[in-house]
Each structure stands twice: as structure tokens, then as C-alpha cells.
Amino acid sequence: MEERGISQAVIRRLPRYYRYLGELLENGVERISSNDLSKKMKVTASQIRQDLNNFGGFGQQGYGYNVKYLYTEIGKILGLEEDHNMIIIGAGNLGQALANYAAFENRGFILKGIFDVNPRLNGVSIRGVPIRMMDELKSFVQSNDVEIAALTIPKEKAIEVANLLVDNGVCAIWNFAHTDLNLPDNIIVENVHLSESLMQLSYNISRYRQEHKQS
Ligand code: NAI
């Protein structure tokens, strides 16, 4: 299947398709039309058709989409058919919350290790994974085939630690620290900012209020 020049906007919508299709599968639904998928997901049917056409289209005229096939193909596009070994750097509030969330493993993101600099956390286990000190990082990363590191440390330390990770072979950073990492192009960085999502929520509240203002 060809995937030439797919926009990031389309790629960002794929996890949502994947989630909805997964729910349909769990409910025993075998096929769905783009119109029904559109009603369920609250996006237009033409948007769905356009998005999926980027990958050669999975639908058949008069039949709709085969849910299992579409789910599997989108999973492949998202790279979910392989496991990804992951570590978390920073075992504070956010790092521990991520480590406690078992569902990442169902998607193939395997939590291999958790690291911190606070000696009081040394050896504390989260879901059976012990927190280790940063001096163990180098050998751990090299011997555990770690692909992804989640950075949940103060932003002042993020760049230094990201460079250390990259020097030891980590190729993808899930960055929660509020700073740009400026890593080499071959390193994949995904920045996550919950506050941006909250600002979007705030905008939608304001817009809703304006639209429903009594005149
Ligand atoms: P926290 O203070 O509870 O945890 C930070 C942990 O990092 C501590 O355990 C500390 O010992 C450890 N740490 C500090 N320097 C380190 C180093 N060089 N190497 C390894 N570990 C180190 O903070 P919290 O609330 O968990 O937040 C962590 C980071 O995530 C902060 O930068 C915060 O701004 C950010 N954050 C980002 C969000 C987002 O949506 N992107 C949401 C919430 C927090």
C-alpha cells in the first residue's frame, strides 16, 4: 500500500479511527458504511473517504468498510503490529501516572524501565517495574533495545537528558517537558502539551457561550 505525502493532519486522525474501529470490533460489528462511521465519529463521510483514500481506500462500493481489515491496516500504518520498548525518565507525578497506565501495553508499548535522580525512589516498584537511578541508564538502554523514552522531568534538565538518551541509541522521545529539544532529524520527537488541549477547551467554552448568549 502506498503512503506518499500523507499530511500530518490525516496521520493525527488515524488513532481516532483505530479506536472507534476497535470498539466496533469488540461489539461484533463486521462492516460499516462511511455514513455510519461518520455519524459515530462526528466527522463528515467525505472526510472519512478522503482520509482513507490516502492509503488506497479500504472501502467497497455498496459494502462499506470491513471493520477488521480496516482496523488491522490502520494498525499497520501506525506501526502498532510491532512492540515498542519504552522507558520513562522522571518518576514524579506525571511519570508515575504514565507508568501506572497499563493500557499502553495493549497497544504494544512495553514499559521496560523507569529512571529518576531522587535516591528515595530507588527500587520503588510501579506495576512491577522498579525505579532505577540515572547512572544505570546507559547500560540499561543498550541492553534492553529501548526505542522510546518518555521525558517527564523538569524542563531545565530535558535537553541534557534527551541528548544522553540519543547518544545511547534511543530513537524516539515522547516529550512532556515544556521545551523544544532540537534533536537531530533522525530522532523522532512527539511533544505532548495537556495545557494546549485545555486552552482549546477554554476556547470552545467561550465560543459556545457567545453563540448561546441571550440578546
Ligand atoms: P515532579 O516534580 O512530580 O516529577 C519530576 C521528577 O523528575 C522528579 O521525581 C525528579 O526527581 C525527576 N528528575 C529531575 N531531574 C531529573 C533528571 N535529570 N533525570 C531524571 N529524573 C529527574 O513533576 P511532574 O508534575 O511529574 O512533571 C514532570 C514534568 O512534566 C515537568 O516538566 C512538567 O512541567 C511536565 N508536565 C507536562 C505536562 C504536559 O502536558 N506536557 C503535564 C504535566 C506536567
Side-chain angles (χ1 to χ4, degrees):
M1 191 188 318
E2 272 191 286
E3 295 170 35
R4 281 168 305 161
I6 312 291
S7 76
Q8 281 295 316
V10 176
I11 303 291
R12 290 209 178 266
R13 284 195 286 272
L14 290 184
R16 192 153 173 259
Y17 288 118
Y18 190 74
R19 184 160 51 83
Y20 274 84
L21 290 162
E23 282 171 16
L24 289 172
L25 262 187
E26 276 170 22
N27 293 327
V29 178
E30 286 177 13
R31 65 171 155 146
I32 189 161
S33 66
S34 48
N35 282 333
D36 286 347
L37 192 56
S38 139
K39 277 185 212 131
K40 198 167 160 51
M41 293 185 61
K42 297 196 174 76
V43 282
T44 65
S46 89
Q47 168 99 82
I48 290 176
R49 283 192 292 268
Q50 263 177 39
D51 281 353
L52 300 180
N53 276 343
N54 276 295
F55 306 96
F58 302 105
Q60 281 169 36
Q61 202 74 43
Y63 176 88
Y65 296 104
N66 177 313
V67 173
K68 184 151 202 289
Y69 177 74
L70 189 51
Y71 178 79
T72 309
E73 291 304 310
I74 291 178
K76 282 186 201 163
I77 292 162
L78 291 171
L80 300 177
E81 82 280 22
E82 294 166 12
D83 283 349
H84 301 279
N85 289 341
M86 182 166 93
I87 55 173
I88 293 173
I89 313 291
N93 294 309
L94 184 56
Q96 293 202 21
L98 291 179
N100 270 311
Y101 187 56
F104 293 136
E105 253 115 76
N106 302 338
R107 297 272 185 257
F109 298 97
I110 313 297
L111 181 61
K112 287 280 178 179
I114 310 168
F115 291 83
D116 205 287
V117 284
N118 181 348
R120 275 182 295 167
L121 293 172
N122 195 5
V124 173
S125 262
I126 302 176
R127 283 198 308 118
V129 180
I131 299 172
R132 297 167 198 272
M133 295 294 97
M134 287 296 278
D135 54 6
E136 286 182 61
L137 182 78
K138 191 173 173 174
S139 64
F140 187 93
V141 166
Q142 289 171 0
S143 53
N144 282 277
D145 198 18
V146 174
E147 195 180 5
I148 303 172
L151 268 194
T152 51
I153 54 175
K155 68 174 182 183
E156 297 73 25
K157 300 284 173 193
I159 292 175
E160 177 193 330
V161 172
N163 282 312
L164 178 68
L165 289 159
V166 169
D167 288 347
N168 286 291
V170 171
C171 60
I173 309 273
W174 196 21
N175 179 32
F176 288 84
H178 297 289
T179 190
D180 291 333
L181 298 175
N182 297 320
L183 295 168
D185 287 348
N186 62 332
I187 305 303
I188 317 296
V189 178
E190 177 67 21
N191 296 304
V192 184
H193 297 301
L194 297 182
S195 48
E196 288 177 10
S197 177
L198 209 44
M199 283 187 255
Q200 181 72 44
L201 180 70
S202 159
Y203 166 78
N204 287 333
I205 294 171
S206 316
R207 202 179 58 172
Y208 181 87
R209 285 199 180 137
Q210 271 185 357
E211 282 170 6
H212 292 81
K213 212 163 34 187
Q214 303 280 348
S215 52

